[in-house]
Amino acid sequence: GYANALKAAGHHLTDYILTKRLIYHITATRRYAEETDNRTLESAKNDVRLMAKMASECILPEAIYCEADVVVVVSGLNLWPGALHLLRWAGIPTVCILTESPYEDNEQVEWVQANPDALVFTNERYSASTHDGWGYLPSSHDPMIHKPVDPDPEAACDVLFLRSRFADRQALSRS
């Protein structure tokens, strides 16, 4: 939604899809470890921080190559914090949109400290009011995606059970 809104406002965007890069590095590390019977690499593929670092290292060169005026990071907890530091060092303005508030606020506070010059927004009013320097930016809405649709008869059910891993929501479900 944010990307479509920026495009509609006339901005040119280049996507840096971190998920695809994470999958690439995990897959490549796994395959190389299997081919070489390298036990060090076998354990490396399970090292989340290492995989995040490898997947994030090209953000600065990509931003320079694209002559980016600004880098916008949405829900970046899988982004290596060093990438934020490098963007700051290079003088490239950075905007972080935190979408995991309030449940991941402690991790997000630590993460954004890698670039204290970044503009930081969260989709949670409470988190914006309790963390200095965080602005409130509601979740985006894209009318092409977020719209009523006719129910799918194949998906009909009598009961739908949804569960959340968050402790406060689990406590509510038990009461």
Side-chain angles (χ1 to χ4, degrees):
Y2 297 121
N4 288 341
L6 288 168
K7 288 176 188 174
H11 298 284
H12 172 74
L13 275 71
T14 300
D15 287 330
Y16 188 95
I17 303 172
L18 187 64
T19 302
K20 288 183 179 181
R21 292 168 188 262
L22 282 166
I23 291 168
Y24 167 80
H25 285 288
I26 291 167
T27 302
T29 303
R30 179 187 309 126
R31 285 188 182 155
Y32 186 76
E34 289 169 358
E35 289 172 8
T36 61
D37 197 29
N38 186 322
R39 299 206 189 283
T40 303
L41 283 176
E42 182 61 30
S43 64
K45 77 171 193 241
N46 297 318
D47 185 340
V48 175
R49 295 175 68 100
L50 175 62
M51 293 298 116
K53 180 180 186 291
M54 290 173 22
S56 304
E57 287 178 321
C58 289
I59 286 178
L60 178 58
E62 187 79 15
I64 292 169
Y65 177 77
C66 295
E67 299 179 13
D69 295 321
V70 65
V71 171
V72 178
V73 180
V74 179
S75 184
L77 284 178
N78 287 324
L79 180 73
W80 172 56
L84 292 176
H85 175 75
L86 290 172
L87 290 166
R88 179 181 186 224
W89 176 83
I92 298 174
T94 306
V95 175
C96 299
I97 302 173
L98 309 176
T99 61
E100 304 306 317
S101 293
Y103 305 103
E104 302 291 339
D105 277 0
N106 292 337
E107 291 81 358
Q108 292 176 142
V109 165
E110 182 180 329
W111 181 78
V112 296
Q113 287 173 350
N115 186 340
D117 297 335
L119 291 175
V120 179
F121 297 94
T122 177
N123 63 331
E124 172 59 43
R125 281 191 180 110
Y126 175 79
S127 295
S129 69
T130 57
H131 296 286
D132 288 336
W134 289 18
Y136 171 64
L137 181 64
S139 297
S140 63
H141 172 263
D142 185 340
M144 296 303 293
I145 297 171
H146 306 103
K147 60 186 176 189
V149 296
D150 291 331
D152 178 1
E154 295 292 319
C157 62
D158 293 328
V159 176
L160 176 63
F161 180 75
L162 302 174
R163 184 168 179 152
S164 174
R165 68 178 180 92
F166 301 118
D168 62 333
R169 291 184 186 171
Q170 289 176 0
L172 281 174
S173 70
R174 286 189 215 109
S175 55

